[in-house]
Amino acid sequence: MGWSIECCDLKCGAKTSARNIVDLIDKHRNEEGWFKCSKCQSHGYIEKRFALQEPGETWEPYLKGIVTLGNPEDIYQPFVFLVSYEPNGHPNDAWFSYYKDTRHLGGRLKLGYGPGGPPVLGEDKIIELVKTMVQKGCIERSKLLDAIKE
């Protein structure tokens, strides 16, 4: 499955392609995990569109980056897409996913976010994800602190 990353800088407007999820994570993100344009290095996004079960309804997210949550040596790699609903909007949703890469064992690369179910995260990974989302401005620190007080 290929991924098309579009540049957020309207002056550039370049499109970049990633071959698969591993290529997307390894080569098409900046050091903070945001998708980047290969031409100008500005932030980028991946536009998706999914038909829902409800007649005529769609889900149209813009994927802005990825937070990886797995141990790099493991075959099973949970991660979270940071989701916005505008090409230049800031993400405020998290789409849980994972991939399994068994190509080095003669298997295949599998991306899972649907019939295979969502990833399972331990307490430490949930805390890491929340911390990262606060640092990236996807969750307001004050809202989190208020929620914890309750």
Side-chain angles (χ1 to χ4, degrees):
M1 171 185 193
W3 300 85
S4 178
I5 304 126
E6 298 186 40
C7 184
C8 289
D9 183 344
L10 298 177
K11 294 177 188 171
C12 175
K15 292 185 180 183
T16 304
S17 293
R19 292 184 322 270
N20 56 48
I21 190 64
V22 175
D23 183 42
L24 180 65
I25 289 171
D26 290 347
K27 298 180 183 165
H28 297 277
R29 297 182 308 146
N30 66 19
E31 60 282 346
E32 297 175 345
W34 302 110
F35 295 132
K36 66 180 181 179
C37 173
S38 63
K39 182 177 176 186
C40 73
Q41 303 302 303
S42 292
H43 285 210
Y45 64 88
I46 298 170
E47 185 175 0
K48 295 300 237 174
R49 181 182 176 96
F50 300 93
L52 300 178
Q53 292 177 337
E54 297 81 2
E57 296 288 324
T58 58
W59 183 47
E60 301 175 11
Y62 291 88
L63 311 180
K64 305 292 288 195
I66 290 177
V67 177
T68 57
L69 299 166
N71 179 339
E73 293 82 39
D74 291 346
I75 290 173
Y76 176 77
Q77 293 293 319
F79 65 92
V80 173
F81 286 112
L82 299 175
V83 177
S84 175
Y85 293 97
E86 298 174 11
N88 286 309
H90 197 71
N92 52 9
D93 285 0
W95 180 12
F96 290 80
S97 193
Y98 72 91
Y99 70 87
K100 286 179 75 174
D101 191 356
T102 59
R103 293 176 292 180
H104 66 285
L105 301 172
R108 61 189 180 99
L109 175 63
K110 178 189 183 305
L111 177 65
Y113 54 68
V120 175
L121 302 178
E123 177 181 310
D124 59 329
K125 292 300 178 183
I126 292 169
I127 291 169
E128 179 183 331
L129 174 60
V130 171
K131 178 182 174 186
T132 301
M133 292 185 73
V134 169
Q135 290 170 337
K136 293 182 180 305
C138 301
I139 296 174
E140 289 182 39
R141 183 181 304 273
S142 61
K143 287 184 180 179
L144 178 61
L145 292 173
D146 287 345
I148 292 170
K149 290 177 190 175
E150 294 178 1

